Amino acid sequence: MYGLPVRSDSANRSVGLFYRDLQDIEIYVEDDEAEALYRMLLSRAVNNEVKIKKVISLHGRGKVIEHCARYNEDSPALFIIDGDLDLLHGERVLGLARLFQHKMYCVENYLFCKNASAELLRDASGRLMPEDALEELDWDNYLDSLTEPLLRLFKTYAVAWKLMQEDGIKTVSRSYYDICRKVSRARGQSVCDDRVQAVIDEIQTIVIAKHGQEAYDQVHQSIEIAVANLDNPLHVISGKDYLLKSLRDYLQFKGAAYKYDDGFKFRLARYCDTEPLSDLSDAIKYTVNIGPYQQTA
């Protein structure tokens, strides 16, 4: 079977050349098929003060970093990568001009937003006023049920990622629904503490057998310190693989049924708060108005 033509890496890197007369900056990202989402978020973040006509995927974090390191042209450009599990270790990719690393796990984390979720309830209802949608959402109680178990899980993922990188231990690629249980027909599935703990125990056993309890505890302690310094612990949970799937199920329980697809993400992107995007907005404006951006933290 023949699929759709796929551009080569060199062709992807050259796409920006064709848009230089149409936009103020070239934006390169690692995410596949996320152009519409990024353009919506970035345009809202900069309040449409910067022309962005094309967001270019280089299909992978390593390729974005590599192209950023080689880029030596005068045309303004910004290269964006995810925070990933680096965040749980307090690590950043620094020292590269024009590179911006999200201070959240991935771009989808910006979409996990109270106000955006309330607006989706309003869209589905057609009757709710903003204050009624926020009350119906019951956001704080929802977060209370979600934050602690997922944070424990991702701390364990981060230990395994640090100590077992060459051993292929499964972490974030595990399905969100592996740690869920069906609460009721109305509520559907939600995070189950017992299932979360079972995954944690499984990973701990493998890592400790390979590296010992002391090494495990040392890495875990350093992760605790890194997470404690974050503005929001949910920033280190994968929005794409965990938070938004949980949110979709929760919104369905509240009466707003959406498929978990690009359309769901795009709706959230239209409504989400832009304040968390302020650092990225500043990086874009700095690049356009002053020169190559340099991330320092």
Side-chain angles (χ1 to χ4, degrees):
M1 292 290 292
Y2 293 98
L4 293 174
V6 177
R7 286 195 299 263
S8 66
D9 290 343
S10 60
N12 276 325
R13 293 192 295 268
S14 300
V15 168
L17 295 172
F18 299 100
Y19 287 86
R20 285 184 180 172
D21 292 336
L22 303 175
Q23 60 184 0
D24 297 324
I25 186 173
E26 296 171 31
I27 302 285
Y28 294 89
V29 300
E30 59 179 278
D31 309 82
D32 292 331
E33 299 179 355
E35 180 178 3
L37 174 62
Y38 258 105
R39 282 187 60 189
M40 172 61 72
L41 284 175
L42 298 183
S43 295
R44 291 188 64 224
V46 300
N47 197 28
N48 291 309
E49 296 172 15
V50 175
K51 287 190 294 184
I52 302 171
K53 298 294 184 182
K54 182 71 176 176
V55 175
I56 305 161
S57 171
L58 297 180
H59 309 291
R61 175 191 180 101
K63 292 177 181 178
V64 174
I65 294 173
E66 179 184 1
H67 189 26
C68 180
R70 293 180 177 180
Y71 193 88
N72 60 2
E73 301 184 44
D74 293 332
S75 181
L78 193 67
F79 298 79
I80 302 173
I81 60 173
D82 292 339
D84 291 327
L85 290 172
D86 289 354
L87 290 173
L88 288 103
H89 296 284
E91 297 175 356
R92 309 286 289 163
V93 180
L94 300 175
L96 276 180
R98 304 180 182 86
L99 186 71
F100 181 92
Q101 186 172 19
H102 293 305
K103 293 182 180 178
M104 299 191 182
Y105 193 95
C106 58
V107 67
E108 283 84 358
N109 285 68
Y110 295 110
L111 312 180
F112 189 76
C113 169
K114 176 181 179 179
N115 289 331
S117 300
E119 288 300 321
L120 262 62
L121 285 184
R122 294 187 67 209
D123 283 354
S125 166
R127 299 187 303 274
L128 288 171
M129 298 300 290
E131 61 273 17
D132 298 325
L134 287 170
E135 183 178 353
E136 175 65 24
L137 189 61
D138 196 17
W139 186 255
D140 290 341
N141 283 332
Y142 167 56
L143 291 191
D144 285 345
S145 68
L146 194 69
T147 302
E148 194 277 333
L150 287 186
L151 193 56
R152 279 194 289 117
L153 179 65
F154 268 72
K155 288 176 182 177
T156 305
Y157 284 170
V159 175
W161 177 76
K162 176 64 75 173
L163 294 177
M164 305 282 286
Q165 288 190 48
E166 298 179 358
D167 296 275
I169 189 170
K170 194 174 184 181
T171 56
V172 184
S173 62
R174 290 173 181 261
S175 170
Y176 164 72
Y177 292 104
D178 286 346
I179 60 165
C180 292
R181 64 178 176 86
K182 186 174 182 179
V183 178
S184 66
R185 183 174 181 180
R187 176 62 178 91
Q189 299 205 57
S190 66
V191 172
C192 171
D193 194 73
D194 289 342
R195 293 190 177 184
V196 168
Q197 191 59 49
V199 172
I200 290 172
D201 291 344
E202 174 193 334
I203 294 174
Q204 282 181 337
T205 299
I206 295 171
V207 176
I208 291 171
K210 179 81 172 181
H211 295 278
Q213 185 73 53
E214 184 177 356
Y216 185 97
D217 291 343
Q218 286 178 348
V219 175
H220 195 276
Q221 184 177 10
S222 70
I223 290 168
E224 294 275 12
I225 295 171
V227 172
N229 289 326
L230 294 173
D231 294 334
N232 186 334
L234 284 177
H235 290 175
V236 303
I237 311 300
S238 171
K240 178 180 180 179
D241 296 313
Y242 285 76
L243 294 180
L244 292 192
K245 290 181 179 179
S246 170
L247 179 59
R248 191 220 71 89
D249 291 354
Y250 184 67
L251 288 177
Q252 179 168 291
F253 167 56
K254 291 294 183 176
Y258 296 96
K259 292 181 179 179
Y260 185 72
D261 57 12
D262 291 337
F264 175 61
K265 296 177 185 178
F266 191 79
R267 289 182 179 92
L268 290 168
R270 291 175 60 195
Y271 296 123
C272 68
D273 295 338
T274 57
E275 193 280 329
L277 289 156
S278 60
D279 286 346
L280 182 51
S281 172
D282 290 345
I284 292 171
K285 292 177 180 180
Y286 185 96
T287 301
V288 171
N289 298 319
I290 299 177
Y293 170 79
Q294 185 82 49
Q295 193 165 45
T296 57

